[in-house]
Amino acid sequence: MVWTVDDIPSQEERVALVTGANSGLGLATARAMSARGATVIMACRCRRKAETARTQLLEAGLTGLDLLDLDLADLNSVRRAAAEVSDRYGHLDLLFNNAGVMAPPRQLTVQGHELQLGVNHLGHMALTLQLLPLMQGRNDARVVTVTSGAQYFGRIRWDDPSWAQGYDRYGAYSQSKLANVMFALELEARQQEQGGGIRSLAAHPGLARTDLQPTAIASGGNRLEAVAYRLMDPLFQSAAMGALPQLHAATAATAQGGEHYGPDQLGGMRGHPTRCRIAPAALDREQRQRLWQLSEELAGGLLMP
């Protein structure tokens, strides 16, 4: 039996934060959660794009949509955003670590880290750890961290995580997506050990049509890459379908902490949500703990409140 947005239980009186909610998977997630009654905090870097997306949802008859300024490439912005959520709401039920960047030319975050590692992993890790106190004691609180199939090709460059030498934009992307899964599983393990009661899961969208692909192609300027994406176009599913695994992870009664969801067809490229395999490196507790420690060192005290 396939799982769809119609299977999302009522989210009345629940507060969900979605990073990157102005487009793609984030917008689809915000739409689905709002439709089921949740108050949705749309956390976005660009206020103009966020307002446009919110207006689009409001015109469709949805309600309970709030905007939050959040630049994951600046850990100080993350800290301010988390404080604002605390001031406005005082609690949080669901966190979708959804926003991401893919395969840009080498750029650095405000704190000097490679952009993809900084935004996709460090920014979300900092946001999560600073919001966890707001989720403690909430019924069925969950953190869903969005990764991709690139995790299977990723490896952590322990001695050069910011790719100062020999930068490869897809290698750096794969590293960040592997880091997403490692963080999700290690957070779950620590919650279990501490009795925190918050579940942590991972999800990936398969091949979903979002802004990431055209942006990556434009920034790379590689004709062969553009041709490859055109040939693959029939395999891409909609952003709404791509968002189903993270929605399932966040709301399905059967979804458990530490699980990873993705599409069920064509080797995880498209389809409806199902449990899927996890990159072997992410199953290694020693590597996960090493990444956690490295992340704390890189963030220089900006991970925690």
mmCIF file of all heavy atoms in Angstrom, residues 26 44 54 70 88 95 102 104-105 149 174 207 231 241 291:
data_model
loop_
_atom_site.group_PDB
_atom_site.id
_atom_site.type_symbol
_atom_site.label_atom_id
_atom_site.label_comp_id
_atom_site.label_asym_id
_atom_site.label_seq_id
_atom_site.Cartn_x
_atom_site.Cartn_y
_atom_site.Cartn_z
ATOM 1 N N GLY A 26 11.029 21.929 0.253
ATOM 2 C CA GLY A 26 10.612 22.674 1.432
ATOM 3 C C GLY A 26 9.234 23.284 1.281
ATOM 4 O O GLY A 26 8.417 23.247 2.211
ATOM 5 N N CYS A 44 13.850 30.730 5.920
ATOM 6 C CA CYS A 44 14.455 30.940 4.608
ATOM 7 C C CYS A 44 15.535 32.021 4.666
ATOM 8 O O CYS A 44 15.478 32.928 5.501
ATOM 9 C CB CYS A 44 13.389 31.365 3.598
ATOM 10 S SG CYS A 44 11.957 30.254 3.516
ATOM 11 N N ARG A 54 4.992 32.245 0.721
ATOM 12 C CA ARG A 54 3.917 32.304 1.712
ATOM 13 C C ARG A 54 2.633 32.835 1.084
ATOM 14 O O ARG A 54 1.539 32.302 1.339
ATOM 15 C CB ARG A 54 4.339 33.191 2.888
ATOM 16 C CG ARG A 54 3.273 33.316 3.981
ATOM 17 C CD ARG A 54 3.805 34.111 5.167
ATOM 18 N NE ARG A 54 2.817 34.209 6.221
ATOM 19 C CZ ARG A 54 1.932 35.187 6.326
ATOM 20 N NH1 ARG A 54 1.915 36.174 5.417
ATOM 21 N NH2 ARG A 54 1.058 35.208 7.313
ATOM 22 N N LEU A 70 16.642 33.026 8.162
ATOM 23 C CA LEU A 70 17.657 32.048 8.545
ATOM 24 C C LEU A 70 18.662 31.881 7.415
ATOM 25 O O LEU A 70 18.301 31.488 6.309
ATOM 26 C CB LEU A 70 17.011 30.689 8.841
ATOM 27 C CG LEU A 70 17.979 29.518 9.042
ATOM 28 C CD1 LEU A 70 18.812 29.704 10.310
ATOM 29 C CD2 LEU A 70 17.220 28.191 9.077
ATOM 30 N N ARG A 88 9.016 33.441 20.102
ATOM 31 C CA ARG A 88 7.689 33.466 19.490
ATOM 32 C C ARG A 88 6.788 32.342 19.985
ATOM 33 O O ARG A 88 5.591 32.537 20.218
ATOM 34 C CB ARG A 88 7.804 33.347 17.964
ATOM 35 C CG ARG A 88 8.333 34.555 17.243
ATOM 36 C CD ARG A 88 8.137 34.348 15.742
ATOM 37 N NE ARG A 88 9.079 35.104 14.948
ATOM 38 C CZ ARG A 88 9.192 34.995 13.623
ATOM 39 N NH1 ARG A 88 8.430 34.141 12.971
ATOM 40 N NH2 ARG A 88 10.067 35.726 12.960
ATOM 41 N N LEU A 95 11.008 19.359 13.259
ATOM 42 C CA LEU A 95 12.049 20.125 12.571
ATOM 43 C C LEU A 95 12.428 19.388 11.302
ATOM 44 O O LEU A 95 12.846 18.227 11.352
ATOM 45 C CB LEU A 95 13.274 20.293 13.468
ATOM 46 C CG LEU A 95 14.522 20.901 12.822
ATOM 47 C CD1 LEU A 95 14.236 22.300 12.266
ATOM 48 C CD2 LEU A 95 15.679 20.944 13.824
ATOM 49 N N MET A 102 23.884 22.626 -3.707
ATOM 50 C CA MET A 102 24.471 21.498 -4.422
ATOM 51 C C MET A 102 25.455 21.961 -5.481
ATOM 52 O O MET A 102 25.113 22.738 -6.358
ATOM 53 C CB MET A 102 23.380 20.646 -5.084
ATOM 54 C CG MET A 102 23.920 19.391 -5.771
ATOM 55 S SD MET A 102 22.620 18.323 -6.422
ATOM 56 C CE MET A 102 22.263 19.148 -7.980
ATOM 57 N N PRO A 104 28.164 23.975 -6.038
ATOM 58 C CA PRO A 104 28.597 25.292 -6.517
ATOM 59 C C PRO A 104 30.113 25.326 -6.672
ATOM 60 O O PRO A 104 30.817 24.432 -6.176
ATOM 61 C CB PRO A 104 28.164 26.218 -5.381
ATOM 62 C CG PRO A 104 28.346 25.370 -4.162
ATOM 63 C CD PRO A 104 27.964 23.966 -4.573
ATOM 64 N N PRO A 105 30.649 26.340 -7.343
ATOM 65 C CA PRO A 105 32.101 26.567 -7.268
ATOM 66 C C PRO A 105 32.479 26.753 -5.800
ATOM 67 O O PRO A 105 31.632 27.116 -4.978
ATOM 68 C CB PRO A 105 32.296 27.864 -8.063
ATOM 69 C CG PRO A 105 31.086 27.966 -8.934
ATOM 70 C CD PRO A 105 29.961 27.348 -8.162
ATOM 71 N N GLY A 149 20.874 10.511 -2.368
ATOM 72 C CA GLY A 149 21.592 9.311 -2.764
ATOM 73 C C GLY A 149 23.089 9.546 -2.875
ATOM 74 O O GLY A 149 23.877 8.588 -2.899
ATOM 75 N N SER A 174 28.707 15.282 -1.874
ATOM 76 C CA SER A 174 28.526 13.934 -1.334
ATOM 77 C C SER A 174 28.986 13.861 0.116
ATOM 78 O O SER A 174 28.362 13.193 0.945
ATOM 79 C CB SER A 174 29.287 12.919 -2.194
ATOM 80 O OG SER A 174 28.786 12.892 -3.516
ATOM 81 N N LEU A 207 15.205 11.339 -7.230
ATOM 82 C CA LEU A 207 15.381 12.355 -8.266
ATOM 83 C C LEU A 207 14.127 13.220 -8.304
ATOM 84 O O LEU A 207 13.118 12.859 -8.891
ATOM 85 C CB LEU A 207 15.616 11.705 -9.631
ATOM 86 C CG LEU A 207 16.937 10.953 -9.809
ATOM 87 C CD1 LEU A 207 17.005 10.324 -11.202
ATOM 88 C CD2 LEU A 207 18.122 11.882 -9.595
ATOM 89 N N LEU A 231 18.993 14.136 -20.440
ATOM 90 C CA LEU A 231 18.709 12.730 -20.720
ATOM 91 C C LEU A 231 18.008 12.048 -19.542
ATOM 92 O O LEU A 231 17.187 11.149 -19.725
ATOM 93 C CB LEU A 231 20.008 11.984 -21.055
ATOM 94 C CG LEU A 231 20.687 12.382 -22.374
ATOM 95 C CD1 LEU A 231 22.036 11.689 -22.507
ATOM 96 C CD2 LEU A 231 19.787 12.040 -23.561
ATOM 97 N N MET A 241 6.241 14.782 -4.848
ATOM 98 C CA MET A 241 6.569 13.367 -4.632
ATOM 99 C C MET A 241 7.886 13.230 -3.876
ATOM 100 O O MET A 241 8.036 12.382 -2.998
ATOM 101 C CB MET A 241 6.640 12.641 -5.974
ATOM 102 C CG MET A 241 5.296 12.316 -6.592
ATOM 103 S SD MET A 241 4.319 11.141 -5.613
ATOM 104 C CE MET A 241 5.338 9.655 -5.744
ATOM 105 N N LEU A 291 32.877 12.568 13.558
ATOM 106 C CA LEU A 291 32.304 13.705 12.826
ATOM 107 C C LEU A 291 31.685 14.708 13.788
ATOM 108 O O LEU A 291 31.819 15.918 13.605
ATOM 109 C CB LEU A 291 31.253 13.222 11.820
ATOM 110 C CG LEU A 291 30.522 14.341 11.073
ATOM 111 C CD1 LEU A 291 31.488 15.134 10.198
ATOM 112 C CD2 LEU A 291 29.370 13.785 10.235
#
